[in-house]
């Protein structure tokens, strides 16, 4: 028996994508971002569903992810958003006219443009994230160099630093203005038909001007909000987006049951001590499988539609939960780690709150080797 399984709801994906479609003009492309094993949801499984649901293209971080995707999906456009370290020896792998590569340096453009077929090249303009891309101080030189060397430029991109973190968006507006100035600058050098894009989930929801030619949507395609601040911003602006539907359910089964007397210690470090006769279930999922160790003595799972508290420390491959109040629970019964059971639900946001992180990290950490099964 595998330790756990992940199921993906096809209808949740198409529902979440349709919420964006309602906002987007006909000319704005929807890029479904499937980097990092599709935020833990499973790269190939998610890609298939997302293409079916009508995404125009797929976005990944690395060349490895793009190559893996291409083996299963010969047709769709795949955008590589991260940098390709050590580009020169791997150049041939990028010879695909349906690859879009976001670059930060002209020398990368020179290498890529020699390929046949050559991928489409988008230049990253850093507008305030201070990560990939080039600072506005150098945009003029870069535009001049690209023009003089007659390099093919297909698009311009930037990335917002803090739309998710605030309900006051002056920094994002500053970045947006700077990006628009960059676009104008490149146009003034004669670059035409540039595909310009900057918005991820939150910015695409909040700022109509940021949708431009394409939005790059990750977290909310999976049915998770980029942040609470994003929800608050929407309501402050008097806007509605609609209900997102989480696509992922993470579940396992009861592996062992023990009945403990009052006064028994549970787990490493003996950090939990029963104060009454306690029925305890062991599940075969621990921090190796992607469960945060900060959930030790903190947080719940679901059994038979009831909350089952995590007792003691999360182990490497196991976790103990309380089932005293669920007398029907027996060996091999289903345990929901993230998802719904009866009237109860535990979300990636609950995990994020319990472990002081963001939902992005919670789902991305689910170990990739468990099967991802698509359900309707
Ligand atoms: C991950 C990523 C996105 C998607 O962000 P979400 O907040 O998950 O929608 C968009 N653009 C870039 C460059 C990214 O790295």
């Amino acid at each position: 028996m595998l330790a756990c399984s992940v199921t993906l709801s096809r209808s949740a994906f198409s529902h979440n994508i349709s919420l964006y479609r309602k906002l987007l003009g006909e000319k704005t492309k929807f890029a479904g971002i499937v980097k990092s094993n599709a935020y833990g949801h499973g790269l190939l499984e998610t890609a298939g569903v997302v293409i079916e649901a009508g995404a125009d293209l797929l976005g990944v971080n690395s060349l490895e992810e793009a190559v893996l995707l291409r083996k299963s999906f010969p047709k769709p456009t795949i955008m590589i958003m991260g940098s390709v370290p050590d580009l020169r020896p791997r150049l041939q792998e990028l010879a695909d006219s349906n690859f879009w590569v976001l670059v930060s340096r002209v020398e990368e453009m020179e290498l890529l443009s020699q390929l046949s077929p050559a991928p489409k090249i988008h230049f990253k303009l850093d507008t305030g994230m201070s990560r990939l891309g080039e600072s506005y101080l150098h945009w003029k030189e870069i535009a001049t160099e690209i023009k003089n060397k007659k390099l093919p430029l297909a698009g311009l991109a930037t990335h917002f630093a803090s739309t998710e973190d605030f309900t006051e968006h002056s920094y994002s507006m500053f970045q947006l203005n700077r990006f628009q100035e960059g676009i104008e600058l490149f146009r003034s050098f004669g670059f035409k038909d540039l595909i310009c894009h900057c918005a991820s989930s939150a910015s695409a929801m909040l700022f109509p001007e940021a949708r431009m030619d394409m939005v790059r949507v990750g977290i909310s395609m999976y049915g998770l909000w980029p942040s609470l601040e994003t929800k608050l911003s929407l309501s402050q602006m008097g806007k509605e987006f609609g209900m997102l539907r989480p696509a992922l359910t993470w579940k396992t089964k009861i592996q062992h049951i023990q009945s403990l007397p009052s006064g028994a210690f549970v787990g490493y470090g003996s950090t939990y001590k029963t104060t009454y006769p306690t029925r305890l279930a062991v599940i075969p999922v621990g921090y190796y499988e992607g469960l945060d160790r900060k959930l030790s003595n903190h947080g719940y799972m679901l059994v038979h539609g009831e909350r089952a508290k995590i007792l003691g420390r999360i182990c490497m491959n196991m976790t103990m939960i309380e089932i005293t109040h669920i007398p029907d629970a027996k060996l091999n019964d289903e345990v929901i780690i993230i998802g719904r059971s009866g009237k109860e639900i535990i979300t990636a946001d609950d995990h994020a709150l319990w472990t002081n992180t963001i939902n992005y990290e919670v789902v991305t950490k689910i170990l990739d080797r468990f099967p991802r099964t698509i359900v309707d």
Side-chain angles (χ1 to χ4, degrees):
M1 184 186 99
L2 285 153
C4 59
S5 72
V6 171
T7 60
L8 306 177
S9 158
R10 181 182 273 119
S11 59
F13 277 109
S14 56
H15 168 80
N16 300 329
I17 293 174
S18 76
L19 293 179
Y20 275 99
R21 282 285 182 214
K22 276 188 224 158
L23 298 179
L24 302 179
E26 260 173 41
K27 287 192 183 132
T28 303
K29 291 183 193 300
F30 180 97
I33 306 305
V34 293
K35 64 189 179 194
S36 308
N37 200 32
Y39 293 43
H41 291 60
L43 176 66
L44 299 179
E45 295 85 348
T46 302
V49 173
V50 164
I51 292 165
E52 226 180 74
D56 298 299
L57 66 153
L58 301 169
V60 295
N61 175 60
S62 65
L63 174 56
E64 288 76 7
E65 292 167 328
V67 168
L68 208 62
L69 266 182
R70 182 54 86 224
K71 278 190 193 139
S72 297
F73 303 98
K75 276 194 192 142
T77 299
I78 300 171
M79 168 172 60
I80 302 168
M81 303 187 297
S83 67
V84 179
D86 208 10
L87 181 57
R88 205 177 283 270
R90 311 203 51 189
L91 205 53
Q92 213 47 47
E93 295 174 65
L94 284 151
D96 184 323
S97 57
N98 287 323
F99 276 176
W100 291 6
V101 187
L102 309 196
V103 303
S104 299
R105 292 181 297 279
V106 177
E107 65 203 66
E108 294 174 293
M109 285 186 85
E110 288 180 275
L111 285 172
L112 291 169
S113 63
Q114 293 162 8
L115 285 169
S116 171
K120 307 289 186 297
I121 304 168
H122 294 216
F123 205 89
K124 274 201 163 184
L125 303 180
D126 182 30
T127 56
M129 173 76 177
S130 306
R131 192 172 66 177
L132 292 176
E134 265 291 358
S135 150
Y136 72 100
L137 297 169
H138 308 296
W139 292 351
K140 214 171 216 169
E141 291 157 45
I142 288 163
T144 310
E145 194 179 350
I146 295 175
K147 189 173 179 185
N148 289 344
K149 291 182 171 162
K150 297 192 169 59
L151 298 170
L153 180 67
L156 293 172
T158 196
H159 192 54
F160 291 104
S162 57
T163 307
E164 299 83 3
D165 288 84
F166 304 116
T167 55
E168 191 279 314
H169 295 293
S170 54
Y171 195 68
S172 295
M173 290 304 107
F174 164 81
Q175 286 194 270
L176 182 60
N177 286 335
R178 186 154 271 174
F179 187 46
Q180 282 162 339
E181 284 164 20
I183 295 168
E184 283 317 310
L185 175 80
F186 276 80
R187 285 195 181 133
S188 75
F189 274 76
F191 294 105
K192 286 202 209 83
D193 302 320
L194 294 172
I195 299 172
C196 300
H197 48 104
C198 57
S200 55
S201 290
S203 307
M205 279 180 189
L206 293 171
F207 315 135
E209 326 83 271
R211 292 170 198 152
M212 300 189 178
D213 301 312
M214 173 169 77
V215 296
R216 307 185 304 251
V217 176
I219 198 76
S220 50
M221 180 174 78
Y222 301 96
L224 303 174
W225 281 86
S227 64
L228 189 57
E229 287 77 4
T230 308
K231 269 190 194 174
L232 292 173
S233 294
L234 273 170
S235 75
Q236 266 180 16
M237 293 172 170
K239 293 183 184 180
E240 269 197 39
F241 183 75
M243 290 270 282
L244 289 168
R245 282 176 49 192
L248 175 145
T249 298
W250 186 14
K251 57 189 173 185
T252 180
K253 287 179 178 172
I254 294 179
Q255 185 184 35
H256 185 58
I257 292 177
Q258 287 213 52
S259 293
L260 304 173
S262 180
F265 291 102
V266 177
Y268 286 122
S270 306
T271 59
Y272 184 83
K273 188 180 187 185
T274 61
T275 54
Y276 49 84
T278 298
R279 203 159 165 259
L280 164 156
V282 183
I283 61 146
V285 176
Y287 57 83
Y288 171 67
E289 283 76 19
L291 207 55
D292 199 298
R293 193 164 168 277
K294 289 195 284 301
L295 290 165
S296 299
N297 287 307
H298 193 52
Y300 299 88
M301 296 183 187
L302 299 176
V303 178
H304 292 201
E306 301 282 345
R307 287 193 168 217
K309 195 172 168 11
I310 295 170
L311 301 183
R313 288 202 186 136
I314 307 278
C315 308
M316 191 180 282
N317 306 111
M318 282 178 262
T319 296
M320 285 72 91
I321 56 177
E322 165 144 34
I323 52 166
T324 315
H325 55 305
I326 316 168
D328 293 344
K330 57 184 189 307
L331 220 54
N332 286 322
D333 279 0
E334 187 175 87
V335 178
I336 301 291
I337 304 170
I338 292 178
R340 195 178 283 282
S341 173
K343 287 183 184 150
E344 280 281 0
I345 180 163
I346 287 176
T347 63
D349 293 287
D350 292 326
H351 277 241
L353 203 68
W354 292 331
T355 59
N356 192 24
T357 184
I358 50 176
N359 53 16
Y360 291 74
E361 190 186 5
V362 171
V363 285
T364 305
K365 275 170 57 165
I366 302 172
L367 194 63
D368 55 10
R369 71 172 57 158
F370 307 119
R372 269 63 172 165
T373 315
I374 296 156
V375 297
D376 284 323

